[in-house]
């Protein structure tokens, strides 16, 4: 018998559940940034292999329709743009603006590579060289 999972009602934020910094950040996003977002560690998300490999390197935001996936700084930007806090939406726009998108992605990659040094981070948070 095949186990079926109901389609999520809202977006799903997929993060590294073994990383204290990632877990704290995902919980903050779930509680404060994005009403209706459910945070799930990639280790329990049941993702296809390619998405699981991606989730090991960057946070993923999965749209409930299953057709859209944002990763890294794009996921953060979408959370800011669609969240309940209008004051944060300009930050989301800046992260998605072509002129700053590369800088936002570079900053995200730096944080991802150094997350074991961030507040709440532990040696288990280290992933080597995240792209």
């Amino acid at each position: 018998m095949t186990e079926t999972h109901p389609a999520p009602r809202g977006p799903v934020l997929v993060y590294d559940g073994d990383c204290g910094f990632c877990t704290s950040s995902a919980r903050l996003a779930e509680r404060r940034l994005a009403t209706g977002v459910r945070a799930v560690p990639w280790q329990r998300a049941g993702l296809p292999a390619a998405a699981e490999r991606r989730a090991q390197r960057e946070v993923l935001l999965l749209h409930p329709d299953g057709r859209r996936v944002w990763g890294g700084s794009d996921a953060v930007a979408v959370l800011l743009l669609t969240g309940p806090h209008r004051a944060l939406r300009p930050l989301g726009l800046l992260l998605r603006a072509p002129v700053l998108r590369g800088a936002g992605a570079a900053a995200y990659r730096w944080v991802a590579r150094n997350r074991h040094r961030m507040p709440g981070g532990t040696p288990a948070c280290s992933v080597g060289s995240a792209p």
Side-chain angles (χ1 to χ4, degrees):
M1 179 173 213
T2 304
E3 184 178 344
T4 60
H5 299 281
R9 290 194 173 101
V12 176
L13 184 67
V14 180
Y15 66 97
D16 185 351
D18 291 336
C19 173
F21 174 73
C22 298
T23 300
S24 296
S25 299
R27 294 294 173 231
L28 176 70
E30 189 177 43
R31 285 191 319 268
R32 304 283 176 135
L33 287 183
T35 308
V37 167
R38 185 171 53 100
V40 177
W42 69 259
Q43 294 89 339
R44 293 189 304 220
L47 298 171
E52 186 174 296
R53 285 190 301 274
R54 187 175 173 194
Q56 291 174 27
R57 295 186 317 271
E58 64 182 352
V59 67
L60 298 178
L61 182 63
L62 313 175
H63 192 278
D65 69 10
R67 294 181 289 163
R68 291 176 276 181
V69 177
W70 297 274
S73 62
D74 283 337
V76 174
V78 170
L79 283 174
L80 294 170
L81 285 167
T82 60
H85 303 290
R86 292 178 191 263
L88 297 176
R89 290 181 185 163
L91 290 173
L93 286 171
L94 287 172
L95 283 173
R96 299 285 291 190
V99 118
L100 295 176
R101 196 171 193 175
Y108 181 90
R109 286 190 305 272
W110 184 87
V111 170
R113 279 192 309 272
N114 292 284
R115 62 190 187 167
H116 59 287
R117 294 183 178 111
M118 300 295 164
T122 66
C125 299
S126 182
V127 291
S129 58

